[in-house]
Amino acid sequence: MLKKFNILTENRYQLVDITEKVEGIVKESETKEGLVLVFVPHSTAGIVLTENERGLKNDWLEIFKRLTSGVDFEHNKIDNNADSHILSGLIGQGRVLPIKDGRIVRGTWQQIFLAEFDGPRERRVMVEVIRNS
Ligand code: ZN
């Protein structure tokens, strides 16, 4: 089962909690055991699992900035978003999580985030539920 939803981002770098949306899709699928793939079909965004805490979200944004500052990117001659492509590749454009007893298996502080690296934009998130039972 493949479902999609869109997210409008507001900032160049931003973390958007999409846990409830993904959990809703898993619930709706009535899958007891299986896997869920959360994927963004974009080369300047990503998916990351982290705690939804304001300070930590700011820490991530600061690290994104520092990781890509001070580099004379060649790609910036084309469209000025080399940092966005690099961060997207480093963070990864998807995650797979287990489903057990009808719920996504995740730690208390493991929320699912869309990571925006080239906003503001409209992003598409694809959620594929793979059912074992
Ligand atoms: Zn580009």
Side-chain angles (χ1 to χ4, degrees):
M1 189 189 92
L2 178 67
K3 292 266 179 176
K4 299 169 206 173
F5 60 88
N6 290 357
I7 297 278
L8 277 171
T9 62
E10 294 157 2
N11 303 318
R12 183 128 207 284
Y13 293 171
Q14 190 181 345
L15 289 173
V16 182
D17 192 335
I18 56 169
T19 311
E20 277 184 22
K21 285 199 161 87
V22 177
E23 284 185 335
I25 291 169
V26 168
K27 196 175 173 191
E28 191 187 313
S29 77
E30 296 179 352
T31 300
K32 293 270 182 295
E33 313 283 326
L35 296 170
V36 58
L37 165 70
V38 186
F39 176 74
V40 280
H42 304 290
S43 72
T44 56
I47 297 291
V48 65
L49 304 178
T50 193
E51 181 181 352
N52 191 351
E53 189 274 318
R54 197 179 54 85
L56 184 61
K57 286 192 285 179
N58 288 336
D59 293 337
W60 273 107
L61 301 181
E62 181 63 25
I63 290 296
F64 295 152
K65 228 182 285 169
R66 288 197 199 183
L67 276 175
T68 54
S69 61
V71 182
D72 186 17
F73 290 115
E74 285 188 36
H75 180 73
N76 285 354
K77 291 170 194 149
I78 301 169
D79 64 357
N80 208 34
N81 67 353
D83 59 321
S84 320
H85 291 291
I86 302 262
L87 289 167
S88 169
L90 285 174
I91 290 296
Q93 293 150 1
R95 290 289 192 276
V96 177
L97 293 93
I99 301 167
K100 201 159 169 41
D101 301 323
R103 304 203 58 183
I104 295 174
V105 180
R106 58 180 183 84
T108 310
W109 312 120
Q110 260 181 326
Q111 276 76 44
I112 307 164
F113 283 86
L114 165 75
E116 173 63 82
F117 300 119
D118 197 18
R121 278 172 189 267
E122 182 165 21
R123 297 301 194 174
R124 182 182 302 167
V125 180
M126 303 174 78
V127 179
E128 174 111 47
V129 179
I130 303 143
R131 184 193 296 238
N132 292 339
S133 65

